[in-house]
Amino acid sequence: MITDAAIRAMLAAEQDHFRAANPRSRSLAHQAGRHWYRGVPFHWMIDWGTPFPLFAERAAGAELWDVDGHRYDDFCLGDTGAMFGHSPPPVARAIARQAGRGLTMMLGTEDAPAVADALAERFGLPFWQVTSTASEANRAVIRWCRAITGRKTLLVYNGCYHGAVDDVFVDLRDGVPELRRSLVGQVYDVRQHTRVIEFNDLAALEAALAPGDVAALLMEPAMTNVGMVLPDPGYLEAVRDLTRRHGTLLVFDETHTISSGHGGHTRAFGPEPDLFVLGKPVGGGVPCAVYGFTAEVAARMEAARAAGETGHSGIGTTLSANALALAAMRACLTEVMTPEAYDHMLPLAARLAEELQEVIRAHDLPWPVLHVGARVEFLCADAPPRNGSEARAATHGALEHAIHLYLTNRGVLIAPFHNMMLVCPATTDAQVGRLATALDQCLKALTR
């Protein structure tokens, strides 16, 4: 049993530990606070639960060093942005080569056909577009789906996250849709055109689709942003059948579930969607994203374009598909995100999940450990959640804060959002062992 008093004691001790061990980060935090809002270039950088921001000096492979000289086993990996390791050598070489030849020209380069061929071969969809972020890709996909179906409604799952896209920020609270409480500056009610249901609830899905007004269902094949929620057996196949039957386009956002295998969750487990989004991992750390679609969708997109006017479509920016991003994607897709990389990542992640489960059981805790390919997560709850409401209820903020800070102080980084860990091609058996040992020591202290 873990008491509130034990959590408070650990937090106090670990905060003191962090302050004493990181004088250079403390100094930089003071300097940064002069002009950066909240003291950081972007607000997520203060979500690690440390008394002041931790400043990085460098990172390579599955390791990171801070400005005070501490080395970390990095299982966060830029919250998936560096899912295949920090600065993979092929990507670093491609970036350096392209940097001297032009960064952005609003024109394709010789990398363009190679990237498109690699995407089509890997994911099975014939047509693709490049954007700067997954948020932008999801926003473009929503626009296209509404345009080609003539329908206005978007369907999402409770607890979903698909980037900074206004349309998806609707939650269910006690079965009632409401605007996400964290959404800043919202001036119109997106519930007018967004419907939200629980994951793994086929009856709710059929009821939501029945009016015939849903342009698209935007989803992760396994939810990863509200804690991990896995699909029930047969659920995704039923989703595919129901969306087809009701004329709704099915969109898989695989920005996180690309961890499932070389072709993502789609190629590893099926079924095939109408549109497919892949964000931050595809460029090895360079900001870029892609979305792919079927030939039928492409034809309908052409028809929608022909019915309108040429000019601004509301899709894309001048930096979309810039030369640097294309070079990075080509290197990452062809030399980094390889079957051999997954042959290393998947069994090592399975071992990590097993070791963490053994540690948790040894302390008589009921917490489940879930994993989707190379992505692993433990939940401070009694059972695996089946939907967003259950996953949200399983969150234990103070306890997770204490665990994260304890691990950070012992040279182990996991994602600051939930208890998520990633295994990359550079992750070693020794790093997995150190993470399991650190969690064991943490739980000993909490359950003492």
Side-chain angles (χ1 to χ4, degrees):
M1 179 179 176
I2 298 175
T3 65
D4 290 343
I7 295 170
R8 288 194 298 270
M10 176 172 283
L11 273 173
E14 295 304 322
Q15 286 167 345
D16 288 345
H17 181 147
F18 184 89
R19 291 186 185 97
N22 294 281
R24 180 64 178 148
S25 273
R26 183 199 288 266
S27 174
L28 288 173
H30 177 73
Q31 296 172 49
R34 289 195 295 261
H35 298 294
W36 287 117
Y37 172 63
R38 305 194 76 186
V40 285
F42 196 74
H43 62 82
W44 281 341
M45 295 176 182
I46 59 172
D47 284 353
W48 290 82
T50 53
F52 46 82
L54 183 67
F55 284 77
E57 190 270 328
R58 62 190 170 95
E63 298 175 286
L64 183 146
W65 289 263
D66 68 23
V67 293
D68 286 287
H70 306 122
R71 177 202 157 279
Y72 299 87
D73 292 320
D74 190 0
F75 290 89
C76 174
L77 296 170
D79 190 33
T80 309
M83 182 180 145
F84 297 95
H86 294 289
S87 297
V91 175
R93 289 193 296 268
I95 291 171
R97 184 168 57 249
Q98 188 60 46
R101 302 167 63 182
L103 301 178
T104 185
M105 300 165 280
M106 215 169 73
L107 293 167
T109 65
E110 63 181 9
D111 292 321
V115 171
D117 289 348
L119 290 167
E121 179 182 3
R122 178 182 299 234
F123 300 113
L125 293 168
F127 295 106
W128 293 83
Q129 289 281 271
V130 178
T131 66
S132 299
T133 65
S135 296
E136 186 189 336
N138 281 319
R139 194 175 293 115
V141 162
I142 292 168
R143 280 185 173 271
W144 277 121
C145 290
R146 285 172 168 160
I148 68 181
T149 62
R151 300 174 175 184
K152 296 180 179 179
T153 302
L154 175 70
L155 182 61
V156 296
Y157 286 109
N158 182 33
C160 74
Y161 181 76
H162 298 286
V165 181
D166 291 0
D167 304 73
V168 307
F169 289 133
V170 183
D171 290 329
L172 282 176
R173 300 279 179 172
D174 298 320
V176 178
E178 66 172 37
L179 296 179
R180 188 162 295 177
R181 297 170 184 177
S182 58
L183 188 56
V184 174
Q186 186 60 34
V187 296
Y188 68 92
D189 191 340
V190 300
R191 291 173 296 183
Q192 295 175 37
H193 301 302
T194 298
R195 201 165 291 154
V196 58
I197 59 173
E198 294 286 13
F199 198 70
N200 281 322
D201 188 337
L202 282 175
L205 175 61
E206 187 147 28
L209 295 174
D213 61 347
V214 177
L217 168 59
L218 174 59
M219 65 179 292
E220 294 182 286
M223 297 185 76
T224 65
N225 283 289
V226 66
M228 197 176 291
V229 182
L230 303 181
D232 288 343
Y235 180 70
L236 295 179
E237 289 72 21
V239 167
R240 175 69 281 185
D241 177 64
L242 284 169
T243 50
R244 280 204 179 105
R245 193 186 312 166
H246 290 279
T248 294
L249 295 168
L250 177 60
V251 185
F252 280 169
D253 180 352
E254 289 238 37
T255 297
H256 278 186
T257 56
I258 188 65
S259 62
S260 301
H262 182 250
H265 200 282
T266 298
R267 295 307 286 270
F269 304 106
E272 184 179 274
D274 299 298
L275 300 100
F276 179 104
V277 172
L278 176 58
K280 43 199 169 185
V282 73
V286 171
C288 55
V290 294
Y291 62 98
F293 38 94
T294 64
E296 179 187 352
V297 168
R300 295 174 73 181
M301 289 164 70
E302 282 299 292
R305 287 181 65 87
E309 295 181 356
T310 58
H312 300 104
S313 64
I315 294 171
T317 67
T318 53
L319 287 177
S320 295
N322 65 76
L324 189 68
L326 287 169
M329 282 194 290
R330 180 177 185 175
C332 195
L333 286 164
T334 60
E335 300 182 67
V336 179
M337 297 170 60
T338 62
E340 293 76 19
Y342 281 93
D343 287 344
H344 172 81
M345 294 158 63
L346 300 186
L348 189 56
R351 181 191 151 196
L352 172 60
E354 290 170 5
E355 291 202 14
L356 294 181
Q357 193 68 83
E358 288 176 6
V359 165
I360 290 166
R361 286 194 189 115
H363 295 280
D364 294 323
L365 295 168
W367 302 350
V369 178
L370 305 174
H371 77 107
V372 174
R375 183 180 300 275
V376 179
E377 184 157 14
F378 64 88
L379 298 161
C380 304
D382 293 341
R386 291 188 62 249
N387 57 48
S389 290
E390 291 181 9
R392 194 181 289 118
T395 301
H396 195 311
L399 175 56
E400 292 172 6
H401 183 186
I403 293 171
H404 289 198
L405 187 53
Y406 184 98
L407 295 177
T408 298
N409 282 335
R410 280 135 190 96
V412 177
L413 296 178
I414 67 174
F417 316 113
H418 315 295
N419 304 312
M420 190 275 293
M421 295 144 279
L422 279 167
V423 168
C424 78
T427 306
T428 66
D429 289 342
Q431 288 178 302
V432 166
R434 285 195 291 267
L435 171 51
T437 298
L439 181 62
D440 182 46
Q441 294 169 344
C442 178
L443 296 182
K444 279 180 182 174
L446 284 167
T447 57
R448 187 172 298 141

